Amino acid sequence: MQSDVVVITGAAGNLGSAVVKELAARGVRLVCLERNAATLDTLAAGLPAGTEVLKLPGVDLMDFDACRNAIAAAEARFGAIHALVNTVGGFHMGPVGESGLSEWDSLMALNARTAYSISAAVLPAMQKAGYGRIVHVAAAPGLKAGARQAAYAASKAAVIRLTEAIALENRAHKITANCILPGTIDTPQNRAAMPDAKPDSFVPAGSIAKLIAYLVSAEAGVVTGAAIHATGS
Ligand SMILES: NC(=O)c1ccc[n+]([C@@H]2O[C@H](COP(=O)([O-])OP(=O)(O)OC[C@H]3O[C@@H](n4cnc5c(N)ncnc54)[C@H](OP(=O)(O)O)[C@@H]3O)[C@@H](O)[C@H]2O)c1
């Protein structure tokens, strides 16, 4: 089986759009989930002619029913879903203290709940098919927190643990689950936040996208349950 129908969440984000472009160049049929319809339209308009893409705007990954409906729409359009690349997530820093409680809740929802919801929504289709590839995006603080990173680190640790459990639960279904731990990605936001950083200290989103393209391929079946650092260039 080839992975030729791939669901990408956060499709118009920095990493998500790089994944979309990489997979489109490989002739993959794309299911793009993105909250913002306008940015999704712009992304899709720039893809190579002939790219088959189902645009699903306005899907909030914190909402399980919305995830399930999106997966149902993808199955209705393409008849199968071979892979999920979930790039939804975000970052915030702050010390542990009373004022950090809302940050804890919001980052656990933004990074961990979203990954759980879209995984739970897509797994039945993959289990039925006896094939699947799932890639989440965690981060190195999910392995060891730094100062002012408690909520972010815990939420990304949850993504790593979720990935490991999915991998073990789905071995017999030939579904792999892995997550990426990117270094600081070369994004407009990171360049603006770190104007003195050397450009080559950032990781190009396109390089991470190539790693993800491998992990969702049929050839990558031997890799599962892994948290893979992506810090080079
Ligand atoms: N950037 C880095 O340096 C870096 C480093 C390590 C790990 N990471 C991780 O890598 C991933 C991608 O990062 P990025 O820089 O590409 O982020 P990004 O550009 O901010 O993209 C994140 C995407 O997630 C979407 N999103 C957020 N909340 C959502 C929700 N509840 N439901 C549906 N979509 C939602 C955003 O949509 P909206 O535009 O509508 O908000 C956006 O499309 C994230 O998981 C991030 O934590 C990033």
Side-chain angles (χ1 to χ4, degrees):
M1 174 134 18
Q2 293 299 311
S3 291
D4 73 342
V5 179
V6 180
V7 175
I8 301 109
T9 71
N14 291 299
L15 181 57
S17 59
V19 172
V20 166
K21 289 171 192 163
E22 180 65 33
L23 295 178
R26 295 172 186 233
V28 168
R29 292 181 287 171
L30 305 167
V31 180
C32 294
L33 276 62
E34 169 59 49
R35 284 195 298 200
N36 185 317
T39 55
L40 185 54
D41 284 342
T42 304
L43 174 72
L47 296 176
T51 304
E52 284 190 68
V53 52
L54 173 62
K55 295 182 287 182
L56 295 175
V59 181
D60 182 350
L61 259 64
M62 291 189 202
D63 177 351
F64 176 70
D65 287 338
C67 291
R68 186 164 49 192
N69 291 341
I71 296 302
E75 279 190 285
R77 166 74 180 269
F78 292 124
I81 296 170
H82 302 118
L84 163 70
V85 180
N86 171 38
T87 75
V88 166
F91 177 72
H92 205 265
M93 289 180 79
V96 176
E98 187 179 341
S99 63
L101 278 169
S102 63
E103 180 180 81
W104 178 274
D105 289 344
S106 69
L107 284 178
M108 291 304 284
L110 173 58
N111 288 319
R113 182 186 170 88
T114 52
Y116 192 102
S117 292
I118 194 66
S119 299
V122 81
L123 275 166
M126 293 180 176
Q127 288 163 345
K128 201 168 51 183
Y131 177 89
R133 301 277 182 262
I134 293 176
V135 177
H136 289 301
V137 184
L143 298 174
K144 182 163 177 53
R148 299 171 55 83
Q149 290 184 336
Y152 179 65
S155 67
K156 289 300 193 182
V159 174
I160 299 170
R161 301 286 94 80
L162 168 72
T163 303
E164 291 165 350
I166 293 170
L168 286 171
E169 289 171 18
N170 289 282
R171 271 187 81 84
H173 296 292
K174 308 277 183 215
I175 298 168
T176 66
N178 294 289
C179 61
I180 307 292
L181 315 178
T184 305
I185 304 174
D186 190 356
T187 67
Q189 296 86 344
N190 283 336
R191 284 191 179 227
M194 292 169 267
D196 297 331
K198 292 191 182 129
D200 66 2
S201 67
F202 296 126
V203 184
S207 301
I208 303 171
K210 287 187 198 309
L211 170 62
I212 290 174
Y214 171 70
L215 289 173
V216 301
S217 73
E219 291 73 18
V222 74
V223 188
T224 193
I228 302 169
H229 290 277
T231 52
S233 58

